[in-house]
Amino acid sequence: MRHFLSSAFLAALLSAASAAPTAPQGGSFKVERVATGNTVARNGTAELRKAFAKYGWSMPTTQNLIVTTPSENAAASGTTGQTGVVTNTPEPNDAEFLSPVNIGGQTLMMDFDTGSSDLWVFCTEQPSDQLSGHDPFDAAKSTTFQNSTSTFDITFGDDSGASGTVGTDTVNIGGATVTSQAVELATSASSQLVEDTQSQGLVGLAFSSINTVKPNKQNTFFDNVKSSLAQPVLTANLKHDAPGTYEFGKIDSTQFQGQISYVPVDNSQGFWQFTSDSFAVGNGQMQQNSQASPAIADTGTTLLLADDPVVQAYYSTVPGVSFNQEQQGFVFDCNTQLPDLTLAMGSNYNAVISGSLLNFAQVGNGQCMGGLQSNAGQPLQIFGDIMFKSQFVVFDNSDTPQLGFAPHA
């Protein structure tokens, strides 16, 4: 039976200052993304809906997505300096990248999400019909778990989400350990989340200001561990249909080409947000994005959602493209050779995304759905895993946060 604490002690327990790293300081730790064995085919429409729901947006319609296409003939412990690494391996078709996380001695496959700030898990307190196929966390089996009276409630735009209770436990990711890390135990989850049986929860790695725990927001694992790292950084090395890595505390120069180019981050909204105001299609010249919404780097989103000027200019070069109302996105013949897309990351670096990465999923009748889709006029561009599979990305969580980009090695 779990140990229930006094209310006074609970308040202290869940203060942001209570969590502490326990691995040797001054190093790094690496987290691998591990294959899940899931054989479900890519579903572009489902991923698009998931992304729009995450940010509370309405799905796009044809009215604002008209393109002119070419002819068919057109072509931590108080010690410092720790580092560590875990593998990140995609579910088949790159729909989701999962990594092992040890909580209270139990290893769970979880999704690292730089677009949210809650560490929440499926747990044994949920109704049995929500746990079929899952490997939930069992707080009763942890000798380090402590309950609290705090709660969490993550609700997305379509009313999907999870809610439940909050405690603290020892969390180990790739060798670095934070004691008294806030761990959110779902007692209820929406069907959309329940259906993803490969994932046992999320590790939110955006800024702690958007954490949903009440009455007091809690720090992310990244915020709790950063003071003990050799460098206060997280790197994401995602790959197409192959294992990649997340690494805390170190920038591995063997994983990228050339030099890292950095862009300032505006974290006022809690996201890894930066400017991206120009683009190029294929071998064309860079051109201004007249809408120029800020972009965020989000490992928890599969697709790349850009402003309409970018999407319209790109698909205007693709023969036979159309906006499919049923799929709610742009589709084209699966044999089409798509052009590369270049996106400005701040003012000093342009990221080239291979056209091969932008052919995301088959939708039937020889048609495929693009990995680039419209943000439907919303005030953010969401650069998800489509972008990450072309770039080595550094999340620098220092006092002046910044993002770094370079092509994969």
Side-chain angles (χ1 to χ4, degrees), residues 42 63 91 97 129 136 193 207 230 232 265 275 284 293 397 405:
R42 286 182 190 156
Q63 278 70 32
E91 294 189 31
F97 292 77
D129 62 342
L193 299 175
F207 293 91
V265 164
T275 60
S293 300
N397 199 7
F405 299 94

Side-chain angles (χ1 to χ4, degrees), residues 32 142 149 208 213 383:
E32 296 186 343
S142 171
T149 56
S208 298
V213 173
F383 291 1

Side-chain angles (χ1 to χ4, degrees), residues 54-393:
K54 179 176 182 178
Y55 293 97
W57 299 350
S58 298
M59 287 290 286
T61 63
T62 56
Q63 278 70 32
N64 63 337
L65 295 173
I66 298 173
V67 298
T68 302
T69 62
S71 69
E72 292 298 329
N73 295 323
S77 66
T79 54
T80 61
Q82 58 177 318
T83 62
V85 183
V86 292
T87 293
N88 52 64
T89 299
E91 294 189 31
N93 302 310
D94 295 347
E96 185 176 55
F97 292 77
L98 302 178
S99 301
V101 176
N102 189 285
I103 303 175
Q106 301 168 54
T107 299
L108 307 174
M109 297 304 298
M110 301 181 69
D111 188 6
F112 282 29
D113 182 9
T114 59
S116 68
S117 300
D118 290 71
L119 193 164
W120 71 267
V121 295
F122 281 85
C123 80
T124 53
E125 294 185 3
Q126 289 174 249
S128 59
D129 62 342
Q130 294 187 6
L131 297 179
S132 178
H134 283 276
D135 183 19
F137 175 72
D138 187 348
K141 293 181 179 179
S142 171
T143 60
T144 49
F145 181 82
Q146 299 289 348
N147 271 298
S148 85
T149 56
S150 295
T151 60
F152 82 100
D153 189 347
I154 300 175
T155 302
F156 302 123
D158 61 351
D159 292 328
S160 67
S163 61
T165 61
V166 183
T168 62
D169 210 336
T170 299
V171 176
N172 180 315
I173 300 180
T177 304
V178 172
T179 60
S180 298
Q181 171 66 45
V183 177
E184 302 163 29
L185 309 182
T187 55
S188 179
S190 65
S191 59
Q192 296 94 321
L193 299 175
V194 169
E195 289 168 0
D196 183 5
T197 58
Q198 304 301 316
S199 175
Q200 309 311 319
L202 290 180
V203 179
L205 296 166
F207 293 91
S208 298
S209 60
I210 58 173
N211 177 266
T212 70
V213 173
K214 294 182 178 180
N216 299 310
K217 296 179 183 294
Q218 297 301 300
N219 276 354
T220 65
F221 179 88
F222 195 7
D223 275 344
N224 282 329
V225 80
K226 68 178 182 179
S227 64
S228 72
L229 299 175
Q231 298 174 265
V233 298
L234 162 68
T235 64
N237 184 20
L238 280 63
K239 300 179 180 180
H240 175 56
D241 285 340
T245 56
Y246 288 113
E247 185 163 11
F248 290 83
K250 176 183 176 182
I251 300 174
D252 184 349
S253 61
T254 68
Q255 295 187 350
F256 59 91
Q257 303 176 48
Q259 300 295 316
I260 300 289
S261 297
Y262 287 94
V263 56
V265 164
D266 176 2
N267 65 352
S268 61
Q269 303 301 312
F271 298 120
W272 292 92
Q273 181 175 310
F274 59 100
T275 60
S276 180
D277 57 10
S278 59
F279 67 98
V281 180
N283 295 321
Q285 297 296 311
M286 294 294 290
Q287 57 184 294
Q288 191 69 22
N289 171 3
S290 59
Q291 189 169 334
S293 300
I296 65 173
D298 181 7
T299 60
T301 293
T302 301
L303 303 177
L304 196 163
L305 306 181
D307 288 333
D308 285 345
V310 178
V311 177
Q312 291 169 353
Y314 183 83
Y315 284 118
S316 290
T317 70
V318 177
V321 72
S322 64
F323 184 88
N324 185 299
Q325 193 64 48
E326 180 180 358
Q327 302 298 331
Q328 297 180 293
F330 284 101
V331 301
F332 42 81
D333 188 286
C334 290
N335 293 320
T336 301
Q337 298 298 307
L338 296 177
D340 295 344
L341 174 67
T342 301
L343 296 170
M345 305 299 194
S347 58
N348 298 315
Y349 180 74
N350 297 326
V352 178
I353 301 169
S354 170
S356 62
L357 295 175
L358 293 166
N359 186 334
F360 180 70
Q362 296 184 19
V363 296
N365 297 319
Q367 295 284 293
C368 281
M369 189 167 179
L372 169 69
Q373 297 292 337
S374 170
N375 65 0
Q378 297 297 332
L380 280 177
Q381 301 183 88
I382 312 300
F383 291 1
D385 291 346
I386 295 292
M387 180 276 290
F388 281 91
K389 286 181 288 184
S390 73
Q391 301 293 311
F392 178 84
V393 182

